[in-house]
PDB file of all heavy atoms in Angstrom:
ATOM      1  N   ASP A 296      52.850 -15.932  30.451  1.00  0.00           N
ATOM      2  CA  ASP A 296      54.150 -16.357  30.832  1.00  0.00           C
ATOM      3  C   ASP A 296      55.205 -15.840  29.847  1.00  0.00           C
ATOM      4  O   ASP A 296      56.353 -15.571  30.252  1.00  0.00           O
ATOM      5  CB  ASP A 296      54.209 -17.941  30.739  1.00  0.00           C
ATOM      6  CG  ASP A 296      53.184 -18.492  31.798  1.00  0.00           C
ATOM      7  OD1 ASP A 296      52.574 -17.708  32.501  1.00  0.00           O
ATOM      8  OD2 ASP A 296      53.103 -19.730  31.933  1.00  0.00           O
ATOM      9  N   PHE A 297      54.815 -15.636  28.644  1.00  0.00           N
ATOM     10  CA  PHE A 297      55.676 -15.000  27.599  1.00  0.00           C
ATOM     11  C   PHE A 297      56.120 -13.715  28.097  1.00  0.00           C
ATOM     12  O   PHE A 297      57.350 -13.337  28.060  1.00  0.00           O
ATOM     13  CB  PHE A 297      54.934 -14.946  26.294  1.00  0.00           C
ATOM     14  CG  PHE A 297      55.719 -14.304  25.210  1.00  0.00           C
ATOM     15  CD1 PHE A 297      56.645 -15.046  24.488  1.00  0.00           C
ATOM     16  CD2 PHE A 297      55.500 -13.000  24.887  1.00  0.00           C
ATOM     17  CE1 PHE A 297      57.350 -14.442  23.437  1.00  0.00           C
ATOM     18  CE2 PHE A 297      56.215 -12.371  23.873  1.00  0.00           C
ATOM     19  CZ  PHE A 297      57.201 -13.104  23.150  1.00  0.00           C
ATOM     20  N   GLU A 298      55.153 -12.847  28.593  1.00  0.00           N
ATOM     21  CA  GLU A 298      55.487 -11.537  29.071  1.00  0.00           C
ATOM     22  C   GLU A 298      56.410 -11.609  30.274  1.00  0.00           C
ATOM     23  O   GLU A 298      57.397 -10.881  30.390  1.00  0.00           O
ATOM     24  CB  GLU A 298      54.219 -10.773  29.383  1.00  0.00           C
ATOM     25  CG  GLU A 298      53.346 -10.463  28.213  1.00  0.00           C
ATOM     26  CD  GLU A 298      54.020  -9.713  27.171  1.00  0.00           C
ATOM     27  OE1 GLU A 298      54.789  -8.764  27.475  1.00  0.00           O
ATOM     28  OE2 GLU A 298      53.819  -9.957  25.937  1.00  0.00           O
ATOM     29  N   VAL A 299      56.081 -12.492  31.212  1.00  0.00           N
ATOM     30  CA  VAL A 299      56.844 -12.688  32.444  1.00  0.00           C
ATOM     31  C   VAL A 299      58.309 -13.001  32.097  1.00  0.00           C
ATOM     32  O   VAL A 299      59.308 -12.462  32.594  1.00  0.00           O
ATOM     33  CB  VAL A 299      56.241 -13.713  33.340  1.00  0.00           C
ATOM     34  CG1 VAL A 299      57.197 -14.003  34.577  1.00  0.00           C
ATOM     35  CG2 VAL A 299      54.878 -13.298  33.869  1.00  0.00           C
ATOM     36  N   ALA A 300      58.430 -14.001  31.143  1.00  0.00           N
ATOM     37  CA  ALA A 300      59.738 -14.481  30.793  1.00  0.00           C
ATOM     38  C   ALA A 300      60.565 -13.351  30.193  1.00  0.00           C
ATOM     39  O   ALA A 300      61.796 -13.269  30.338  1.00  0.00           O
ATOM     40  CB  ALA A 300      59.597 -15.665  29.795  1.00  0.00           C
ATOM     41  N   LYS A 301      59.876 -12.481  29.337  1.00  0.00           N
ATOM     42  CA  LYS A 301      60.642 -11.445  28.706  1.00  0.00           C
ATOM     43  C   LYS A 301      61.156 -10.457  29.766  1.00  0.00           C
ATOM     44  O   LYS A 301      62.288  -9.957  29.708  1.00  0.00           O
ATOM     45  CB  LYS A 301      59.819 -10.717  27.712  1.00  0.00           C
ATOM     46  CG  LYS A 301      59.660 -11.521  26.396  1.00  0.00           C
ATOM     47  CD  LYS A 301      58.909 -10.792  25.317  1.00  0.00           C
ATOM     48  CE  LYS A 301      59.906 -10.041  24.413  1.00  0.00           C
ATOM     49  NZ  LYS A 301      59.108  -9.358  23.281  1.00  0.00           N
ATOM     50  N   ARG A 302      60.239 -10.147  30.726  1.00  0.00           N
ATOM     51  CA  ARG A 302      60.630  -9.221  31.782  1.00  0.00           C
ATOM     52  C   ARG A 302      61.826  -9.806  32.607  1.00  0.00           C
ATOM     53  O   ARG A 302      62.684  -8.983  33.068  1.00  0.00           O
ATOM     54  CB  ARG A 302      59.461  -9.012  32.791  1.00  0.00           C
ATOM     55  CG  ARG A 302      58.493  -7.992  32.327  1.00  0.00           C
ATOM     56  CD  ARG A 302      57.660  -7.415  33.496  1.00  0.00           C
ATOM     57  NE  ARG A 302      56.664  -8.378  33.953  1.00  0.00           N
ATOM     58  CZ  ARG A 302      55.491  -8.564  33.419  1.00  0.00           C
ATOM     59  NH1 ARG A 302      55.150  -7.852  32.331  1.00  0.00           N
ATOM     60  NH2 ARG A 302      54.628  -9.433  33.910  1.00  0.00           N
ATOM     61  N   HIS A 303      61.904 -11.078  32.828  1.00  0.00           N
ATOM     62  CA  HIS A 303      62.919 -11.641  33.661  1.00  0.00           C
ATOM     63  C   HIS A 303      63.991 -12.309  32.900  1.00  0.00           C
ATOM     64  O   HIS A 303      64.850 -12.934  33.510  1.00  0.00           O
ATOM     65  CB  HIS A 303      62.218 -12.660  34.636  1.00  0.00           C
ATOM     66  CG  HIS A 303      61.268 -11.972  35.624  1.00  0.00           C
ATOM     67  ND1 HIS A 303      61.641 -11.333  36.746  1.00  0.00           N
ATOM     68  CD2 HIS A 303      59.912 -11.803  35.445  1.00  0.00           C
ATOM     69  CE1 HIS A 303      60.571 -10.860  37.312  1.00  0.00           C
ATOM     70  NE2 HIS A 303      59.536 -11.101  36.593  1.00  0.00           N
ATOM     71  N   GLY A 304      63.982 -12.299  31.564  1.00  0.00           N
ATOM     72  CA  GLY A 304      65.040 -12.861  30.766  1.00  0.00           C
ATOM     73  C   GLY A 304      65.123 -14.396  30.948  1.00  0.00           C
ATOM     74  O   GLY A 304      66.248 -14.951  30.964  1.00  0.00           O
ATOM     75  N   LEU A 305      63.992 -14.985  30.986  1.00  0.00           N
ATOM     76  CA  LEU A 305      63.948 -16.445  31.140  1.00  0.00           C
ATOM     77  C   LEU A 305      64.146 -17.219  29.840  1.00  0.00           C
ATOM     78  O   LEU A 305      63.767 -16.640  28.795  1.00  0.00           O
ATOM     79  CB  LEU A 305      62.620 -16.904  31.774  1.00  0.00           C
ATOM     80  CG  LEU A 305      62.310 -16.427  33.223  1.00  0.00           C
ATOM     81  CD1 LEU A 305      60.902 -16.763  33.588  1.00  0.00           C
ATOM     82  CD2 LEU A 305      63.306 -17.152  34.201  1.00  0.00           C
ATOM     83  N   PRO A 306      64.658 -18.373  29.851  1.00  0.00           N
ATOM     84  CA  PRO A 306      64.790 -19.163  28.559  1.00  0.00           C
ATOM     85  C   PRO A 306      63.403 -19.648  28.183  1.00  0.00           C
ATOM     86  O   PRO A 306      62.555 -19.866  28.970  1.00  0.00           O
ATOM     87  CB  PRO A 306      65.694 -20.345  28.982  1.00  0.00           C
ATOM     88  CG  PRO A 306      65.591 -20.455  30.444  1.00  0.00           C
ATOM     89  CD  PRO A 306      65.284 -19.039  31.029  1.00  0.00           C
ATOM     90  N   PHE A 307      63.299 -19.858  26.857  1.00  0.00           N
ATOM     91  CA  PHE A 307      62.095 -20.384  26.258  1.00  0.00           C
ATOM     92  C   PHE A 307      62.312 -21.855  25.906  1.00  0.00           C
ATOM     93  O   PHE A 307      63.251 -22.167  25.209  1.00  0.00           O
ATOM     94  CB  PHE A 307      61.702 -19.607  24.992  1.00  0.00           C
ATOM     95  CG  PHE A 307      61.186 -18.284  25.237  1.00  0.00           C
ATOM     96  CD1 PHE A 307      61.937 -17.352  25.947  1.00  0.00           C
ATOM     97  CD2 PHE A 307      59.918 -17.906  24.877  1.00  0.00           C
ATOM     98  CE1 PHE A 307      61.420 -16.033  26.151  1.00  0.00           C
ATOM     99  CE2 PHE A 307      59.447 -16.662  25.081  1.00  0.00           C
ATOM    100  CZ  PHE A 307      60.153 -15.699  25.749  1.00  0.00           C
ATOM    101  N   ILE A 308      61.479 -22.743  26.373  1.00  0.00           N
ATOM    102  CA  ILE A 308      61.598 -24.119  25.925  1.00  0.00           C
ATOM    103  C   ILE A 308      60.352 -24.510  25.232  1.00  0.00           C
ATOM    104  O   ILE A 308      59.260 -24.558  25.863  1.00  0.00           O
ATOM    105  CB  ILE A 308      61.903 -25.056  27.072  1.00  0.00           C
ATOM    106  CG1 ILE A 308      63.152 -24.566  27.858  1.00  0.00           C
ATOM    107  CG2 ILE A 308      61.968 -26.521  26.654  1.00  0.00           C
ATOM    108  CD1 ILE A 308      63.441 -25.451  29.111  1.00  0.00           C
ATOM    109  N   LYS A 309      60.434 -24.749  23.990  1.00  0.00           N
ATOM    110  CA  LYS A 309      59.216 -25.121  23.205  1.00  0.00           C
ATOM    111  C   LYS A 309      58.989 -26.571  23.312  1.00  0.00           C
ATOM    112  O   LYS A 309      59.762 -27.420  22.751  1.00  0.00           O
ATOM    113  CB  LYS A 309      59.480 -24.758  21.715  1.00  0.00           C
ATOM    114  CG  LYS A 309      58.306 -24.882  20.838  1.00  0.00           C
ATOM    115  CD  LYS A 309      58.706 -24.345  19.424  1.00  0.00           C
ATOM    116  CE  LYS A 309      57.531 -24.302  18.480  1.00  0.00           C
ATOM    117  NZ  LYS A 309      57.905 -23.649  17.202  1.00  0.00           N
TER     118      LYS A 309
END
Side-chain angles (χ1 to χ4, degrees):
Chain A
D296 297 0
F297 177 81
E298 295 302 322
V299 173
K301 282 185 97 177
R302 275 201 288 278
H303 298 275
L305 294 172
F307 287 61
I308 302 176
K309 187 175 184 174

